Every structure is written in structure tokens, then in C-alpha cells.
Amino acid sequence: MNWRTRKLTASLYYDGVLKNTLTEELAFTFNTSEAVSGALNEANVVISGLKTDTMFSLATSNTQWVKNWVQNRLVIKAGYEGSNKGVVFDGTIMEARPDLSKADYSITLKAMSMFSELTKVKSYTYAGDTPVNTIARKLGTDLGLVLVSDIDDTVTISNFLLRDQNAVMGLRALSQATGLDIFESKGRLYVKKRNEGLKKLPQLTIPQAEIIGVPEPTPTGVIITIRLNPSYQTGQRVKVNSLKYPLLNSYDFYISTMSHAGATRGSEWITRLNLMKEGLGFYR
């Protein structure tokens, strides 16, 4: 088995119908990011070698002033042979810019998770004291997400009201009002206390063999670059097995932000983990 062999599948959906499936044989560069802060997950992609009619279709259909504006979906699966290959991004293309200035035509895509939900206006009213999980579950259902919550129903909020907004804004408003981390990842809606990792997920250990280069200590934790691994989850509790910084091995961290990057014509594909030490602050 060749552990250096990389696998990539990028699926382009046009108006809900699978239109193109791209693989690692095509020139494909990607950079994705997600965070527990509640910011929408993003992806920046450059593809070379697509047919011109496909590029033009993507460019014009994603232009919002076009009468028949279509929000196309992009799903990227990536990984190394012999390890986990999984989804590193699933979202809606919000911008597509072809470049015909070079012999090898290319198109640059900007995509965002749940972007298609931003145009769906809703209202939410919860009078009196209501469990945060009740509101989060309703918002998640409207977004097609399954709730995974670390809090119980004793955590409540009083008189939650949201008028003429989308459900994504509802999640942000709920997070700000409660001081909880509320974020989406891989089809699930997570709720957890700030400065803590997700208790509903198993704690993982990042082995020394996966680490690329040297860990970068920060005022709140450490940044670690590893060979691309989509099995890690934002908010997940992790421990670090580092030979360079053995002191890190005795602390508990959680993944605050995570990004994946790679190019089919490039070198190592990586996952960059911004780890936060658990218990730096206090939940009130």
C-alpha cells in the first residue's frame, strides 16, 4: 500500500443534480476552514482543465443578478490512501471567476456552507424561559442539521425573539445571547460551553508521526500542522504527543479552528489545527 497516494473527489451539483465529478487526476487546489465561533465554513478552490462551457455555466449561474440564479453545491472529499478519506467541505458556490489569460484555463470558486439558507427569511418567538436545546433543535431542523449538544435542559434563555431573519442568523443570535459555542460541521449542529471541548465526542490523541514540522505554541494553546486527516472534528477534545514540546503532552486541548489545504499538482496535503487549552475561561 502506498501511503503517499492521495485521493480526491469533488462533486459539483447544478440545481441539486450532480453535474461533474472531479478526481485527483485534474489540477485542483483547495483550502477550507471551519471554527467553533459559529462562522460559516468556507472553501477557496482553483480548478484547471475544465471544459469552457462548464466554467461559463458555473460563472453565470452563480451571478446573483441573473434571472435564473442557481446556487450550486460543492462537496470535496480528500485524504491519503491507507488513512481516512472524508468530506473536508460541503457548501454552496457563492462566486465563480474563470481565467482565460493562460493556455491552461482555470476557474476560481469561493464557497460557503449554508449560504443557500441566508435568503430564507423566518421568525422565531419563545416567550418566558426556554431551554437553549429546544431553540437550537428547531433552528437546526430548519437548516437540515442534527443537534449534538453538551448542555442539558437546565440551561435556558428568556424571551428569545427573532423577526424576519434566516436560521443562520438565529444561531448567531442564540450563541451571543447565551455565551455558548454553537456551530455547524458535517451535517450536525453542535452546542458546547466556551473554553471546553465537546464531551459527546471521543478524545483523540495527535501522534508524533502525523505532525509536520514543529508545533507553534500560542497564548491560548498551540497550532499543529498534520498530514491531511478529515476525521478530526472542530470542537473535539485532543491530546498531543510531541517530541519537540513534551510539555504539551500533559494538557488537554480542543480544536478551535481547523483548515484543510492541498493541490493535486502540489506537495503535502495538510490539516492545520488551532488548539485551545481547555479551561482558559469560565462559563457563566
Side-chain angles (χ1 to χ4, degrees):
M1 181 180 294
N2 182 5
W3 288 79
R4 299 287 299 177
T5 301
R6 303 175 297 201
K7 298 293 183 181
L8 178 139
T9 303
S11 302
L12 291 169
Y13 293 83
Y14 181 85
D15 201 17
V17 178
L18 180 62
K19 184 174 183 180
N20 298 89
T21 300
L22 314 177
T23 68
E24 66 276 357
E25 297 178 357
L26 201 68
F28 190 100
T29 301
F30 63 93
N31 192 316
T32 72
S33 65
E34 59 180 87
V36 299
S37 64
L40 298 183
N41 304 337
E42 298 182 357
N44 292 283
V45 172
V46 179
I47 309 172
S48 299
L50 282 180
K51 294 180 179 179
T52 54
D53 61 341
T54 300
M55 289 195 300
F56 293 151
S57 175
L58 283 170
T60 55
S61 63
N62 286 280
T63 302
Q64 299 181 23
W65 49 261
V66 171
K67 180 179 180 180
N68 296 318
W69 174 37
V70 177
Q71 296 182 338
N72 297 319
R73 180 184 174 201
L74 171 66
V75 181
I76 305 173
K77 295 181 180 180
Y80 279 84
E81 183 179 328
S83 60
N84 293 313
K85 175 186 175 183
V87 175
V88 297
F89 181 78
D90 185 346
T92 303
I93 299 172
M94 51 188 292
E95 183 179 321
R97 293 184 290 106
D99 182 359
L100 309 182
S101 62
K102 300 178 182 178
D104 191 10
Y105 295 164
S106 66
I107 187 168
T108 299
L109 305 177
K110 292 185 181 296
M112 183 178 292
S113 66
M114 298 194 295
F115 179 74
S116 59
E117 302 295 332
L118 298 180
T119 58
K120 299 177 181 179
V121 177
K122 297 177 180 292
S123 295
Y124 301 89
T125 302
Y126 291 88
D129 293 338
T130 306
V132 173
N133 283 336
T134 299
I135 304 174
R137 185 175 291 106
K138 171 57 178 173
L139 292 168
T141 298
D142 287 352
L143 294 169
L145 304 174
V146 177
L147 178 66
V148 179
S149 179
D150 265 1
I151 64 172
D152 57 33
D153 286 347
T154 62
V155 181
T156 62
I157 183 173
S158 297
N159 301 320
F160 182 80
L161 174 65
L162 193 73
R163 292 290 188 189
D164 299 327
Q165 297 285 351
N166 55 70
V168 176
M169 291 301 298
L171 294 179
R172 292 178 178 174
L174 186 62
S175 176
Q176 291 172 358
T178 59
L180 296 165
D181 285 331
I182 303 177
F183 59 99
E184 175 272 336
S185 181
K186 300 175 182 176
R188 289 178 170 82
L189 178 64
Y190 292 97
V191 179
K192 72 174 188 67
K193 295 179 180 179
R194 286 193 180 156
N195 303 309
E196 294 185 10
L198 283 163
K199 303 298 189 295
K200 291 289 181 69
L201 297 180
Q203 185 179 46
L204 300 180
T205 297
I206 302 173
Q208 174 63 43
E210 279 193 18
I211 298 176
I212 298 174
V214 180
E216 307 168 38
T218 70
T220 56
V222 62
I223 297 174
I224 291 181
T225 300
I226 62 174
R227 189 174 64 169
L228 189 143
N229 188 337
S231 65
Y232 287 100
Q233 170 65 56
T234 309
Q236 190 164 27
R237 294 172 299 138
V238 297
K239 294 188 75 69
V240 178
N241 184 2
S242 171
L243 295 177
K244 301 288 186 180
Y245 289 96
L247 185 63
L248 297 175
N249 304 349
S250 59
Y251 290 96
D252 293 319
F253 300 93
Y254 68 91
I255 301 173
S256 176
T257 63
M258 176 171 61
S259 62
H260 304 288
T264 56
R265 300 292 187 269
S267 55
E268 199 88 50
W269 292 3
I270 64 170
T271 294
R272 191 166 172 84
L273 304 172
N274 188 341
L275 306 182
M276 185 87 70
K277 181 185 175 295
E278 282 201 287
L280 282 181
F282 299 92
Y283 171 73
R284 291 184 175 87

